[in-house]
Amino acid sequence: MKLLLKAVHIIDPGGKLHKQTKDIFIEKGEIVKIGDKLNFEADKTISIENLHVSKGWFDSSISFGEPGFEERETLDNGLKVAAKSGFTAIALNANTKPVPDNSSAISFFRNKTGLHGVGIYPKGALSPGAKGKDLAELFDMSKAGAVAFSDYKKPIGNPNLLKIALQYAQGFDALVASYPQENAIATNGLVHEDTMSTHLGLKGIPALAEELQIARDLFILEYTGGKLHIPTISSKKSVQLIKEAKEKGLDVSCSVAIANLLFTDKELHDFDSKFKVLPPLRGKEDMLALREGLKSGVIDMLTCDHMPRTIEEKKVEFENAAFGSIGLETAFAALRKIFDTETCIQFLTAGKTRFKIPNYAIAENQPAELSFFLPNAEYNYQTNTLLSTSKNSIFTDTVLKGKTVGIFANQKLSLF
């Protein structure tokens, strides 16, 4: 395919073409020429007013449904949602049914990559069936294409399992992820434990449950060595713990969910289950500390933590509603509420190196992997505009600024 992009605004922090307006000619999936007023014969020419392009975006925590929960989201439609949302690569969580805990399951996901522009980088379960008892076939899954190992949203209760995993994974340079929650303290909590949970009469999840688990995991990492990723931290103290660990030289990374950067537990006053997420929305002090941790680099990456849920799972009493919100289609616009365009792109393109995912430059003779967006477009975000099968968005009925148009990746153009 020959593709010509006309007068696009390039956002590439650190790159030579950052903030320049250029034409880009792509042939056979490679950037052939970047210049002014190019006149190449193309199969398709794209000329959209104020169209911006950047390196392809990546998200480290995406859930769909297939296999096992196709009513939430199929892989085919989920990848279309990711493309519409500007993402060229996603790390897929190990929370399907059956759980991907062997090389065949990983191969199933990897084989889907060639059919879409969006690259699927699956995570393998850390333990068989994600039951937290024994170590799964990490090496075999790594050879099949798994980029990390984690029992999604399930803490590693047995510290010896984490110890063995970190030691074993060093033999093939694998990344182990540990969800930060001590269940003995969190128990059956629903929201952040604070004055709001008391006011609402809802059982709380103390920030202590997260911080104790992180402290434990960091002690184990210091003993074993290896590479540890802590997904979706949510408290001020968690940021400090990870900062101190990095200053010691420990090989640890972490992420934060976009919802925790924009909302606090004050949103729960109407018992609206769209705000029921895990980790829970915490206080304003925590939210501000997370933003600062992201800007300072203590937090390595952000995620929309996309988790589709059916109407039957969310439109019930708050206590019975499932945790989670979709977030792919609002990721860029949500970030635009608190960051400028350049900063948003820095965060949306971070994390690839940690997960061993290619990060191609916007330059001639480089593979073309680009995200398309209109940073100043405003619109009212409604569920009837969603491509996602599940409609459980925390941003429903919100005026947003910043619209994604699609991607070019894997020699495929996805334009919406």
Side-chain angles (χ1 to χ4, degrees), residues 101-123:
D101 57 8
N102 58 72
S103 59
S104 296
I106 298 301
S107 296
F108 168 77
F109 292 117
R110 288 294 295 155
N111 290 338
K112 291 282 185 178
T113 290
L115 305 177
H116 295 270
V118 180
I120 302 177
Y121 296 89
K123 300 174 189 173

Side-chain angles (χ1 to χ4, degrees), residues 59 61-66 69 71-73 81 92-96 152-153 232 257 273-274 276-279 303-311 313-314 322-330 388-394:
D59 196 296
S61 179
I62 299 297
S63 303
F64 291 142
E66 184 183 353
F69 303 103
E71 69 278 7
R72 296 176 184 170
E73 189 68 275
V81 172
L92 197 62
N93 292 317
N95 61 338
T96 53
Y152 178 70
K153 301 284 186 184
T232 58
S273 63
K274 75 178 184 180
K276 187 178 180 182
V277 292
L278 195 69
T303 171
C304 65
D305 206 21
H306 186 81
M307 182 67 228
R309 297 289 192 182
T310 63
I311 292 176
E313 290 175 302
K314 291 297 277 191
F323 289 103
S325 169
I326 58 173
L328 277 168
E329 292 175 77
T330 54
S388 175
T389 300
S390 292
K391 312 299 181 185
N392 57 307
S393 173
I394 201 170

Side-chain angles (χ1 to χ4, degrees), residues 51-68:
L51 181 64
H52 285 55
V53 302
S54 73
K55 292 180 182 177
W57 302 350
F58 166 69
D59 196 296
S60 62
S61 179
I62 299 297
S63 303
F64 291 142
E66 184 183 353

Side-chain angles (χ1 to χ4, degrees), residues 125-416:
L126 187 72
S127 62
K131 294 179 180 178
K133 293 183 179 179
D134 302 300
L135 207 59
E137 302 169 357
L138 306 191
F139 179 64
D140 289 346
M141 286 191 284
S142 180
K143 288 196 297 182
V147 295
F149 301 99
S150 168
D151 292 346
Y152 178 70
K153 301 284 186 184
K154 292 182 178 180
I156 302 172
N158 180 356
N160 193 52
L161 183 64
L162 178 61
K163 169 181 168 288
I164 293 170
L166 286 167
Q167 290 173 325
Y168 178 58
Q170 290 177 59
F172 44 100
D173 193 34
L175 182 64
V176 174
S178 176
Y179 182 68
Q181 180 170 289
E182 170 51 74
N183 278 344
I185 291 177
T187 58
N188 297 315
L190 303 170
V191 298
H192 173 51
E193 184 178 87
D194 204 355
T195 54
M196 181 57 75
S197 62
T198 302
H199 174 72
L200 297 174
L202 296 173
K203 185 169 179 55
I205 302 174
L208 177 66
E210 174 175 303
E211 294 151 8
L212 274 180
Q213 192 81 351
I214 289 175
R216 184 205 74 170
D217 291 354
L218 292 174
F219 269 116
I220 294 172
L221 177 65
E222 188 171 8
Y223 176 80
T224 60
K227 296 164 61 176
L228 177 67
H229 180 68
I230 301 175
T232 58
I233 67 171
S234 65
S235 83
K236 180 180 179 180
K237 180 64 174 177
S238 295
V239 176
Q240 184 61 32
L241 287 168
I242 292 167
K243 180 176 183 290
E244 292 169 358
K246 288 186 172 187
E247 289 171 349
K248 286 182 179 180
L250 300 186
D251 193 351
V252 59
S253 59
C254 66
S255 66
V256 60
I258 292 174
N260 293 91
L261 295 171
L262 283 125
F263 299 106
T264 70
D265 59 346
K266 300 300 181 187
E267 304 290 344
L268 299 167
H269 55 83
D270 287 333
F271 294 92
D272 191 335
S273 63
K274 75 178 184 180
F275 293 109
K276 187 178 180 182
V277 292
L278 195 69
L281 304 176
R282 300 203 185 272
K284 185 175 181 180
E285 188 176 0
D286 294 307
M287 181 184 73
L288 295 177
L290 292 170
R291 291 183 186 181
E292 185 55 39
L294 189 61
K295 288 188 287 186
S296 69
V298 172
I299 299 176
D300 302 86
M301 65 197 81
L302 52 76
T303 171
C304 65
D305 206 21
H306 186 81
M307 182 67 228
R309 297 289 192 182
T310 63
I311 292 176
E312 292 79 11
E313 290 175 302
K314 291 297 277 191
K315 294 294 183 180
V316 293
E317 296 86 354
F318 192 91
E319 292 89 337
N320 297 323
F323 289 103
S325 169
I326 58 173
L328 277 168
E329 292 175 77
T330 54
F332 175 62
L335 291 173
R336 285 283 286 123
K337 284 180 167 289
I338 51 177
F339 300 121
D340 61 32
T341 299
E342 181 177 338
T343 304
C344 290
I345 299 309
Q346 285 179 308
F347 295 152
L348 287 167
T349 54
K352 287 183 179 179
T353 302
R354 187 62 169 172
F355 285 83
K356 295 184 178 179
I357 295 170
N359 188 25
Y360 301 114
I362 301 179
E364 294 176 2
N365 304 315
Q366 285 288 309
E369 192 170 284
L370 304 171
S371 299
F372 306 141
F373 55 99
L374 303 169
N376 299 316
E378 292 190 5
Y379 56 99
N380 190 12
Y381 180 70
Q382 300 289 339
T383 54
N384 61 6
T385 66
L386 294 177
L387 180 57
S388 175
T389 300
S390 292
K391 312 299 181 185
N392 57 307
S393 173
I394 201 170
F395 292 100
T396 302
D397 300 321
T398 303
V399 175
L400 297 175
K401 181 179 181 180
K403 189 175 184 180
T404 51
V405 179
I407 63 169
F408 183 90
N410 196 25
Q411 301 191 43
K412 294 177 177 63
L413 174 67
S414 301
L415 204 60
F416 296 85

